[in-house]
């Protein structure tokens, strides 16, 4: 029973990592850029959620606040691509890595100046409520997170597999120039992807803020962990990102419980290194050897 | 305008193109030697920091700029260098053997890690090294016998042929010590780049497929490059330990790894000069900002409150603008400026225009 309880809280954490990893994968799938500021976008989304939902700010209902935060972050993502990232369109992947790292620093500074450096948590309608399920006690927040993640992932999966826009995004990432030749408006597709990933980051952020407190530097370490998750799944695979997130989320509580103290925090990274050493492209690898 | 007339193949790979080139660096060396007698002790300390971060930047430049393998975890190797150096010195080793040993140990550690890491590419490598940097933070706490656990280690004073060198007691001597190490490493680096080994690094950077086709042993080149890069960074870590006087698990946080990479990028990826330019920016920027702030607060009606993290934000903004407008970093600006001066009335605007590029997928490599 103890193990099952750990498992469930691990899965709920893992879902947040998975959602964040999903944000990475979205952008990677469509633009082959890796967004090192994704964790900070989550942080920003969470702070926006707090601003609209908490009673000492705007005091909106939870769902409306979630949507508002998601919309604002979507617009933010779109504008970010249009105004900043367009400047290095077509440059190698590495340039984008550096650019988003710098962006993350700026977002953290902005959040620190705006909301202060003390941890704040979100007032959600399901704070402190508990579901009893066959002897298991599941916090309501965890259940909501798990359901939301499953919904979001499925819809994104179908979006990429079935819709014209989704397929266009995949085409852009596989060969930017060929996508141009096929008449895909590559730049606009990129901007839409960034907007989408902003939305996902906002949702993940609000859910995370409902579970625990948030502060400007949350995004950094959280982002790196979600990164580990995305890489374990093999960047570029939506189910892989979720699987990786769950794996990281589940490994964490078990490692800190059963391993000698001091080894717990490094377990996710050790796991990732192990996966990368054994399968350099992640579990759901997408890298293929180039034939000349 | 100078014209260099080449009449031997050696001219292409000479360290110095001609006498004028040599003379410039001689003047630079002279300036570096005279500098500590001109400026105050505080700025000698800052300048020493610049030297140490230049050394660390050189280490990262070798792997990231010249072999094309981006490492986001070089603070880990600074940590290995610093802890191994201090651990040896505290066990009674003299300074020079301990410094060399710390370089060798870090290099071996790098070589050990390079094999599995070498199979990864691009972003996967960056993340794996980032994870390495995080893991080292915790290992530094767990490996108490070597690293002193949470308390860390204190750097003993350096005894050098009967001369006591200490960061605060004799800042000039410490400056010259760092300068010596840096010059030796720089000369070694410059010579490496014109040797077959260094050329193979460049080949791997530009295209692994064509490097392999030309007979370069790609895994070996990557391993050697990683080991050398880590060894240089390890030396920087050892010197940093003396500069900071004490190191513990918090001295080499993952943020240092990231800053180191940003330093190399802002300086100019793929040029040795870049490591030095970047170090100047990283070390002197916080000073400059605080001076600018107090200037604005006293001389203008505006009052900038003391925002924490202001220097990081300004640094990030510089990086942002640099990546968009001048991806070759400060070195790129310098090259443009130099060309403008050399060609004076004949410089044309489009000489360094970037060609339009399209993203190449890294899923095929």
């Amino acid at each position: 029973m103890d193990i099952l309880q750990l498992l469930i809280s691990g899965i709920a954490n893992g879902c947040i990592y998975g959602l964040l990893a999903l944000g990475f994968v979205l952008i990677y799938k469509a633009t082959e850029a890796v967004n090192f500021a994704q964790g900070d976008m989550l942080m920003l989304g969470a702070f926006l959620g707090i601003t609209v939902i908490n009673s000492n700010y705007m005091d909106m209902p939870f769902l409306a606040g979630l949507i508002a935060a998601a919309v604002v972050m979507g617009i933010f993502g779109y504008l970010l691509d249009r105004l900043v990232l367009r400047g290095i369109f077509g440059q190698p992947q590495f340039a984008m890595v550096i650019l988003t790292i710098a962006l993350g620093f700026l977002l953290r500074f902005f959040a620190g100046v705006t909301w202060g450096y003390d941890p704040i948590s979100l007032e959600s309608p399901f704070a402190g409520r508990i579901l009893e399920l066959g002897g298991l006690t599941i916090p309501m927040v965890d259940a909501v997170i798990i359901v939301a993640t499953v919904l979001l992932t499925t819809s994104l999966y179908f979006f990429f597999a079935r819709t014209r826009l989704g397929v266009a995004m995949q085409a852009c990432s596989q060969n930017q120039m060929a996508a141009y030749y096929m008449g895909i408006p590559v730049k606009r597709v990129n901007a839409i992807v960034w907007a989408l990933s902003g939305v996902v980051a906002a949702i993940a952020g609000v859910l995370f803020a409902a579970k625990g407190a948030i502060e400007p530097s949350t995004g950094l370490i959280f982002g790196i962990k979600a990164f580990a998750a995305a890489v374990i799944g093999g960047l570029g695979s939506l189910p892989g990102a979720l699987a990786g997130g769950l794996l990281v989320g589940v490994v964490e509580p078990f490692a800190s419980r059963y391993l000698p103290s001091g080894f717990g925090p490094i377990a996710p990274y050790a796991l990732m290194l192990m996966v990368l050493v054994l399968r350099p492209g992640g579990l759901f690898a997408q890298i293929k050897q180039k034939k000349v | 305008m100078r014209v260099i007339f080449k009449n031997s193949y050696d001219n292409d790979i000479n360290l110095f193109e001609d006498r004028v080139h040599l003379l410039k660096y001689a003047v630079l060396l002279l300036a570096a030697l005279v500098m500590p007698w001109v400026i105050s002790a505080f700025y000698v300390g800052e300048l020493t920091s610049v030297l140490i971060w230049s050394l660390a930047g050189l280490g990262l430049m070798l792997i990231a700029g010249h072999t094309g393998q981006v490492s986001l975890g070089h603070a880990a190797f600074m940590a290995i260098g610093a802890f191994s150096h201090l651990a040896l010195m505290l066990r009674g080793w003299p300074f020079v053997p301990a410094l060399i040993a710390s370089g060798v140990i870090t290099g071996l550690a790098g070589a050990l890690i390079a094999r599995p890491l070498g199979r990864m590419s691009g972003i996967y490598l960056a993340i794996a090294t980032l994870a390495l940097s995080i893991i080292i933070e915790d290992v530094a706490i767990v490996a108490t016998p070597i690293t002193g656990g949470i308390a860390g280690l204190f750097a003993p004073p350096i005894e050098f042929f009967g001369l006591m060198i200490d960061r605060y007691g004799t800042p000039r001597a410490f400056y010259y010590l760092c300068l010596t190490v840096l010059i030796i490493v720089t000369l070694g680096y410059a010579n490496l780049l014109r040797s077959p080994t260094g050329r193979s690094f460049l080949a791997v950077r530009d295209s692994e497929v064509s490097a392999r086709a030309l007979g370069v042993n790609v895994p070996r080149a990557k391993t050697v490059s990683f080991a050398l890069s880590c060894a240089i960074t390890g030396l920087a870590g050892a010197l940093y330990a003396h500069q900071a006087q004490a190191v513990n698990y918090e001295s080499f946080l993952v943020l240092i790894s990231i800053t180191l990479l940003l330093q190399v990028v802002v300086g100019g990826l793929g040029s040795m000069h870049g490591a030095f330019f970047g170090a100047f920016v990283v070390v002197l920027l916080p000073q400059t900002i605080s001076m600018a702030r107090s200037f604005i607060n006293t001389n203008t009606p505006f009052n900038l409150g003391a925002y924490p993290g202001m220097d990081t934000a300004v640094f990030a903004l510089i990086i942002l603008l640099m990546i968009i407008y001048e991806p070759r970093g400060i070195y790129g600006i310098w090259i443009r400026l130099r060309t403008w001066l050399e060609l004076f009335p004949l410089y044309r605007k489009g000489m360094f225009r970037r060609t339009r590029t399209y993203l190449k997928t890294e899923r095929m490599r």
Side-chain angles (χ1 to χ4, degrees), chain B residues 33 38 59 61 74 78 80 86 111 153 171 191 261 278-279 328 362:
Chain B
L33 288 176
V38 181
M61 189 62 87
H74 257 52
M78 278 186 86
I80 294 177
L86 288 190
L153 296 176
N191 275 323
L261 186 65
R328 281 158 309 181
E362 293 211 2

Side-chain angles (χ1 to χ4, degrees), chain B residues 254-273:
Chain B
V254 69
L255 269 177
I256 308 263
S257 291
I258 297 175
T259 314
L260 201 55
L261 186 65
L262 295 183
Q263 171 195 328
V264 174
V265 169
V266 86
L269 207 60
S271 66
M272 285 176 68
H273 299 73

Side-chain angles (χ1 to χ4, degrees), chain A residues 277, chain B residues 77 104-118 132 223 226-227 230:
Chain A
V277 167
Chain B
F77 300 105
V104 171
I105 290 171
T106 322
L108 287 178
L112 207 65
I113 301 168
R115 270 300 153 122
L117 286 188
L132 216 59
T223 311
F226 216 92
C230 293

Side-chain angles (χ1 to χ4, degrees), chain A residues 31-32 34 90-91 93-94 99 101-102 106 117 173 176-177 224 227 235 266 269 276-277 287-288 290 292, chain B residues 70 119-120 123-124 127 131 134 138 209 258 269 308 313 316 320 354 357-359 361-365:
Chain A
T31 68
E32 196 133 326
V34 179
Q91 297 288 308
Q93 199 185 31
F94 173 69
L99 191 63
I101 288 178
L106 286 177
Y117 290 90
S173 102
Q176 209 172 53
M177 209 195 282
I224 294 174
F227 232 132
L235 281 166
I266 62 176
Y269 308 109
L276 277 182
V277 167
I287 297 182
K288 296 186 186 70
K290 186 175 185 177
V292 189
Chain B
V70 175
R119 296 176 58 204
M120 302 163 204
I123 197 68
Y124 292 91
I127 314 274
I134 296 175
D138 288 282
V209 174
I258 297 175
L269 207 60
L320 202 87
R354 277 175 284 160
T357 52
Y358 292 91
L359 189 77
T361 179
E362 293 211 2
R363 289 187 217 168
M364 304 277 204
R365 70 180 183 110

